[in-house]
Amino acid sequence: MKLINNLAEKYVKLSLKIGQHAQYYVDAYYGPSEWQPSADKTPLNDLKYQAEELVNQAITLEKNDIGEQQDRLDFLLLHLKSSVTYINQLLGVNISFADECKSLYDAQTPTFNEQHFDNILAKLDKLVPGEGNLNQRFINYREDFIIPVDKLDSVFSAAINEARKRTLKYIDIPSDENFAVELVNDQIWSAYNWYKGDSYSLIQLNTDFPIYIERVIDLAAHEGYPGHHIFNAQMEKHLVNANGWMEYSIYNLFSPTSLLAEGSANYGIEVAFPWQERIAFERDILFPLAGIAPEKSELYYQIQTVLHQLSYVDNMVAQRYIDGEINEPQAVLLLMKYALSSEERSKQRLAFYQHNRSYVITYNYGQDLVRDYLATLVKDDSESELWRVFSDLLAKPKTASMMQI
């Protein structure tokens, strides 16, 4: 235990030093303030040496019989290896999209080509009303489902209150947990949860582009309950505060944790709001709050059901762009065709790829991985059983390879 604790402390301190070279690398930190590094940056080559030494120490530890601490050490070793990869990237080393997925996120994702997505677009083409090409018809159709900015606060509050009520029915978190919501602009993401520690989060919503009615439940559950806010609060409560496992006091964005963080946050939407219950809540509660006619919901959700099948478009376009197979204009055109997004929205998404690269896999593949893994653990079809295995995973995180059964 002492040897792993020492390794964990070194990992945290290393991560904080890496964060001095990359602004968004450390997504959250709620460990000891005295572990923060001095203002002087440690050279990247020195950090690479330190990271490689820690990997060797972890591999040496793995040869010992450490019993119930094995999963903890496996988790830590994968994160240390990920740190080495990220430092190398900061030093200018280029790797392929697939290698980056494996090295940073411990993941091997499925691949899909245009034919797969063309078949889905054909289904949407029959559903989306209007005339002209599918992209413009879809954009025009969705205009009726935009939430007015002056109603966004009340709609989001209703959604997050419902998500919170459903989550706290099954997950016990500190009574003083809380969050604040800010509306922001000029970001490459649509929403972000900044976990501050002590069960408190700052949730920012980007209003650069319109927010559609179905996004509200997505954002409330993904960023709040039972998503990022709960995930971080569970790790802090069970692993940092109760066990003293300090490696969980830091969340490095470009690391295996992100696959579970984003995947569980996306799957958590389904856990909190099974599809038919979600449709009913949005139609009966959120549509009226947003000033959208509930009778328009039936076709809208038929379209949404098919639209969800396009989630892996992100991976296809990001892979081709990162691997140099397509340029910026070609990436934008692919997104406009297969993600059915406007030119402006497609350019914003491309900016996300440029900044975060293969991180896009954490949303779709992460969600599928979490769903499939938990399905192997659920003993019956009850709602409470699903919540049990879901909350256990949040409190005892695993990487992708650790969830392969």
Side-chain angles (χ1 to χ4, degrees):
M1 173 76 80
K2 184 177 180 181
L3 291 173
I4 300 180
N5 287 345
N6 183 52
L7 189 65
E9 179 178 335
K10 291 179 180 178
Y11 164 72
V12 172
K13 292 178 177 178
L14 170 72
S15 299
L16 292 170
K17 291 177 182 178
I18 297 171
Q20 290 182 299
H21 292 269
Q23 182 180 1
Y24 298 105
Y25 181 67
V26 177
D27 190 84
Y29 176 62
Y30 37 90
S33 58
E34 59 268 24
W35 287 6
Q36 290 281 6
S38 64
D40 296 330
K41 295 180 182 179
T42 304
L44 284 171
N45 280 314
D46 291 350
L47 293 179
K48 178 183 176 181
Y49 175 78
Q50 292 176 25
E52 290 172 342
E53 282 298 299
L54 292 179
V55 167
N56 291 333
Q57 291 177 31
I59 292 173
T60 300
L61 268 181
E62 272 209 318
K63 298 175 181 177
N64 300 326
D65 181 10
I66 53 177
E68 61 184 23
Q69 295 279 308
Q70 188 62 56
D71 278 355
R72 180 190 177 192
L73 181 57
D74 291 343
F75 190 89
L76 184 53
L77 175 57
L78 286 166
H79 281 73
L80 286 167
K81 289 180 177 180
S82 175
S83 297
V84 173
T85 296
Y86 190 72
I87 294 169
N88 279 330
Q89 289 184 300
L90 292 178
L91 286 167
V93 176
N94 290 319
I95 59 176
S96 70
F97 180 89
D99 288 344
E100 185 174 295
C101 292
K102 180 63 178 175
S103 299
L104 288 183
Y105 306 111
D106 186 38
Q108 293 177 294
T109 67
T111 58
F112 301 95
N113 58 22
E114 285 100 327
Q115 182 60 52
H116 171 81
F117 298 117
D118 283 334
N119 293 334
I120 299 169
L121 291 184
K123 297 177 186 176
L124 286 169
D125 192 47
K126 296 177 182 179
L127 289 172
V128 178
E131 298 180 355
N133 70 75
L134 179 57
N135 178 283
Q136 193 58 54
R137 272 192 290 139
F138 182 69
I139 291 171
N140 293 342
Y141 172 72
R142 292 189 83 197
E143 287 182 356
D144 288 345
F145 300 90
I146 293 172
I147 303 171
V149 175
D150 62 342
K151 295 182 178 181
L152 185 57
D153 184 62
S154 61
V155 176
F156 187 74
S157 294
I160 205 158
N161 286 339
E162 181 68 16
R164 184 178 189 275
K165 181 180 73 174
R166 290 170 178 243
T167 299
L168 298 192
K169 180 179 177 182
Y170 295 103
I171 298 181
D172 181 29
I173 62 174
S175 59
D176 60 349
E177 63 83 20
N178 202 359
F179 66 91
V181 177
E182 288 183 355
L183 301 182
V184 298
N185 298 96
D186 195 26
Q187 302 295 334
I188 59 173
W189 36 257
S190 58
Y192 211 107
N193 178 298
W194 303 98
Y195 190 73
K196 304 298 184 180
D198 295 323
S199 302
Y200 177 78
S201 292
L202 169 63
I203 298 175
Q204 292 182 326
L205 302 180
N206 184 12
T207 58
D208 284 348
F209 294 97
I211 295 179
Y212 297 94
I213 189 66
E214 84 283 352
R215 285 291 290 152
V216 179
I217 287 293
D218 287 347
L219 296 174
H222 182 101
E223 306 297 341
Y225 308 89
H228 292 319
H229 178 62
I230 295 298
F231 179 52
N232 283 289
Q234 288 291 91
M235 285 198 298
E236 184 179 24
K237 174 184 175 181
H238 293 284
L239 302 176
V240 179
N241 294 344
N243 290 351
W245 293 0
M246 299 310 296
E247 65 270 30
Y248 292 96
S249 69
I250 196 163
Y251 169 26
N252 296 333
L253 193 65
F254 305 108
S255 75
T257 294
S258 281
L259 196 77
L260 176 58
E262 301 293 2
S264 65
N266 267 1
Y267 182 58
I269 302 168
E270 300 178 37
V271 176
F273 293 90
W275 187 238
Q276 292 304 319
E277 291 183 25
R278 172 177 175 164
I279 291 175
F281 180 77
E282 291 184 356
R283 179 193 62 222
D284 299 341
I285 305 298
L286 299 187
F287 272 55
L289 281 174
I292 300 171
E295 58 268 23
K296 295 182 178 181
S297 65
E298 183 175 354
L299 175 59
Y300 195 67
Y301 286 108
Q302 290 179 31
I303 292 172
Q304 287 297 313
T305 299
V306 181
L307 194 66
H308 288 169
Q309 299 172 32
L310 294 173
S311 67
Y312 277 83
V313 166
D314 253 340
N315 300 19
M316 179 185 74
V317 180
Q319 176 267 312
R320 293 183 181 180
Y321 178 75
I322 289 168
D323 289 345
E325 298 173 12
I326 57 174
N327 58 25
E328 291 186 19
Q330 290 170 322
V332 169
L333 288 175
L334 279 174
L335 286 169
M336 291 177 66
K337 178 178 180 178
Y338 289 109
L340 294 178
S341 53
S342 67
E343 183 176 2
E344 293 76 19
R345 177 83 74 166
S346 297
K347 288 179 177 178
Q348 182 202 39
R349 195 57 181 164
L350 177 59
F352 186 91
Y353 302 161
Q354 291 167 333
H355 188 270
N356 295 314
R357 294 176 57 88
S358 63
Y359 192 88
V360 295
I361 72 163
T362 65
Y363 300 100
N364 42 48
Y365 178 65
Q367 177 179 354
D368 291 344
L369 180 68
V370 169
R371 181 194 295 114
D372 293 345
Y373 173 69
L374 293 183
T376 67
L377 302 179
V378 172
K379 297 177 181 178
D380 58 57
D381 293 331
S382 67
E383 183 178 279
S384 60
E385 173 66 2
L386 177 58
W387 275 100
R388 181 189 68 79
V389 296
F390 179 73
S391 59
D392 281 352
L393 181 60
L394 299 186
K396 301 172 185 176
K398 296 181 181 295
T399 72
S401 62
M402 296 169 72
M403 285 189 276
Q404 299 290 347
I405 296 180

